[in-house]
């Protein structure tokens, strides 16, 4: 319930693969004030993510933290800028089901989104299932997306270039290390190496953003972006507009105890 309170500090957000069926997360996204990417499940099925987007684009009434920091009953109008994130899938199953950063997978997802009257642009996560949890494979995925941007093949019928941006899991240095369990483990930690998912290093990240900067015709903002700083611009290329969901809040605590429910509209 905290994200609604701090959402004005965040330019772009993303939900995880394991919360795609969570009604709580759908309600939360419906009231956030920034574009939110929605990852499909770990098996590579995109339908649940589309169900998420449909739900999040509609209004809900749920518990949240109001703009004054108090627990409130919030009514939202829906987030019209929720969009699909393709992250590959199958790493949790007995048989790997593959990646979905290729032109065919992206175009197919975009067409299906259009049929449901949803945002036809998708963001591609180069890590997770699309890298098979191997950081070097993120480079392969990113290079494929660079080629797609260079050719800019439009989808049939809607004539839309379906790729809005990409995600890279990056740290100062490539790889990963085990999370520390005691003081000795902490002292052995290598600086700049992830303790969660394996990441690519910062030099690799910077070189890729330099390549993307070469395609500045995608959006004028990229002409003013340099190196790794282009990341935030690229992720916002097609979802730059900031949607502010009008919300009605009813304080639940401590206003109920002090003077009864209080409604705030803004």
């Amino acid at each position: 319930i905290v994200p609604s309170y701090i959402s004005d500090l965040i330019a772009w957000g993303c939900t995880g693969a394991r919360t795609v069926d969570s009604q709580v997360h759908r309600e939360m996204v419906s009231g956030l004030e920034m574009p939110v990417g929605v990852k499909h499940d770990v098996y590579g099925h995109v339908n649940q993510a589309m169900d998420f987007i449909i739900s999040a684009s509609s209004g809900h009434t749920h518990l949240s933290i109001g703009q004054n920091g108090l627990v409130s009953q919030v009514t939202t109008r829906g987030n019209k800028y929720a969009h699909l994130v393709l992250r590959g899938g199958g790493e949790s199953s007995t048989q790997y089901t593959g990646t979905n950063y290729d032109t065919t997978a992206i175009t197919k997802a975009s067409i299906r989104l259009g049929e449901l009257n949803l945002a036809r642009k998708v963001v591609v996560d180069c890590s997770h299932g699309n890298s098979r949890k191997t950081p070097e494979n993120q480079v392969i995925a990113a290079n494929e997306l660079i080629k797609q941007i260079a050719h800019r093949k439009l989808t049939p019928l809607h004539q839309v270039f379906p790729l809005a941006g990409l995600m890279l899991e990056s740290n100062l240095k490539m790889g990963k290390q085990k999370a520390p369990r005691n003081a000795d483990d902490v002292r052995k930690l290598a600086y700049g190496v992830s303790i969660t998912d394996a990441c690519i290093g910062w030099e690799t990240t910077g070189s890729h953003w330099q390549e993307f900067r070469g395609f500045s015709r995608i959006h004028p903002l990229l002409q003013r972006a340099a190196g790794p700083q282009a990341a935030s611009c690229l992720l916002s290329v097609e979802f730059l507009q900031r949607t502010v969901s009008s919300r009605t809040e009813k304080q639940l605590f401590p206003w109920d105890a002090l003077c009864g429910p209080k409604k705030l509209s803004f």
Side-chain angles (χ1 to χ4, degrees):
I1 60 178
V2 174
S4 295
Y5 181 59
I6 64 172
S7 64
D8 57 338
L9 301 175
I10 304 172
W12 183 85
C14 187
T15 60
R18 292 164 184 82
T19 58
V20 68
D21 291 319
S22 168
Q23 182 61 22
V24 173
H25 286 79
R26 296 179 182 192
E27 293 169 348
M28 175 192 71
V29 171
S30 74
L32 294 181
E33 299 176 356
M34 70 285 193
V36 177
V38 178
K39 292 185 181 182
H40 56 72
D41 67 11
V42 297
Y43 299 104
H45 306 142
V46 300
N47 288 341
Q48 290 94 326
M50 295 181 186
D51 290 341
F52 188 118
I53 296 171
I54 293 172
S55 178
S57 64
S58 303
H60 294 272
T61 298
H62 64 99
L63 289 178
S64 185
I65 299 295
Q67 293 299 305
N68 56 6
L70 299 177
V71 178
S72 308
Q73 177 179 300
V74 173
T75 299
T76 67
R77 286 186 176 178
N79 190 329
K80 304 304 181 184
Y81 294 95
H83 51 280
L84 178 64
V85 176
L86 299 177
R87 47 92 68 201
E91 66 268 27
S92 295
S93 63
T94 56
Q95 184 176 0
Y96 189 80
T97 58
T99 61
N100 55 13
Y101 57 79
D102 58 281
T103 302
T104 300
I106 294 174
T107 300
K108 184 177 179 180
S110 177
I111 292 174
R112 178 58 178 156
L113 288 165
E115 292 172 348
L116 296 174
N117 198 29
L118 301 174
R120 295 188 291 271
K121 301 281 188 172
V122 303
V123 171
V124 175
D125 177 3
C126 294
S127 186
H128 300 95
N130 276 329
S131 70
R132 305 191 184 192
K133 297 296 184 72
T134 301
E136 292 83 359
N137 289 341
Q138 288 193 60
V139 177
I140 297 175
N143 287 336
E144 168 61 24
L145 296 174
I146 289 173
K147 293 178 182 178
Q148 292 183 34
I149 292 174
H151 292 91
R152 291 184 62 81
K153 182 179 180 180
L154 304 181
T155 61
L157 184 61
H158 299 295
Q159 291 296 296
V160 170
F161 179 61
L163 181 61
L166 62 86
M167 300 169 62
L168 294 172
E169 267 195 305
S170 173
N171 211 314
L172 296 181
K173 298 179 181 179
M174 181 175 284
K176 62 176 293 186
Q177 58 189 330
K178 292 184 178 180
R181 295 187 176 183
N182 51 53
D184 289 337
D185 290 344
V186 172
R187 286 190 287 269
K188 295 177 182 177
L189 286 177
Y191 178 73
V193 180
S194 172
I195 60 172
T196 54
D197 290 340
C199 296
I200 59 175
W202 187 243
E203 290 185 2
T204 302
T205 303
S207 65
H208 274 86
W209 289 127
Q210 290 287 2
E211 290 190 67
F212 277 109
R213 187 170 180 259
F215 299 103
S216 59
R217 60 190 174 87
I218 298 174
H219 196 284
L221 277 179
L222 291 183
Q223 296 175 357
R224 301 193 295 271
Q229 288 76 20
S232 59
C233 294
L234 187 64
L235 286 175
S236 302
V237 165
E238 300 296 340
F239 305 103
L240 191 63
Q241 301 95 329
R242 186 168 180 266
T243 174
V244 180
S245 300
S246 178
R247 307 189 307 179
T248 300
E249 299 181 0
K250 183 169 65 175
Q251 309 297 333
L252 300 184
F253 181 84
W255 287 107
D256 278 0
L258 296 176
C259 56
K262 180 180 179 180
K263 290 188 176 181
L264 299 176
S265 297
F266 56 93

